[in-house]
Amino acid sequence: MRTRLLIVGASGRAAAASAIRAGHDPFVIDLFADADTQRLCPVLKCDPTDYPHGFIELAKQAPPGPWMYTGGLENHPDVVKA
């Protein structure tokens, strides 16, 4: 059984590909929602003008489950905590 994994960050493409190889079912929220990421998994785009706090509201649309963050969010502990 694959585990749903929410990936949040500036770009979630590489993490999503790694998550799939590890047997997870990723759901990405990032700044780009690239076409290649969309081919891998569901993805929501955070408007760059809302970065990083826009991730908080978008995450409410994601399915429940474990999550991880990628590049840059370690500099925003308030967003990580929320």
Side-chain angles (χ1 to χ4, degrees):
M1 180 177 174
R2 297 172 70 85
T3 302
R4 175 65 81 177
L5 177 63
L6 173 60
I7 300 170
V8 180
S11 177
R13 178 180 39 204
S18 293
I20 290 168
R21 286 192 303 274
H24 299 289
D25 187 15
F27 185 104
V28 171
I29 303 172
D30 70 9
L31 296 175
F32 305 101
D34 293 321
D36 53 346
T37 307
Q38 292 178 35
R39 285 190 293 272
L40 295 174
C41 63
V43 60
L44 296 175
K45 181 180 180 182
C46 179
D47 188 304
T49 61
D50 294 332
Y51 177 84
H53 293 90
F55 288 133
I56 297 168
E57 285 301 312
L58 289 171
K60 294 176 183 177
Q61 298 177 43
W67 74 284
M68 62 174 282
Y69 60 87
T70 65
L73 282 186
E74 68 276 5
N75 296 317
H76 302 280
D78 56 324
V79 174
V80 173
K81 184 177 179 180

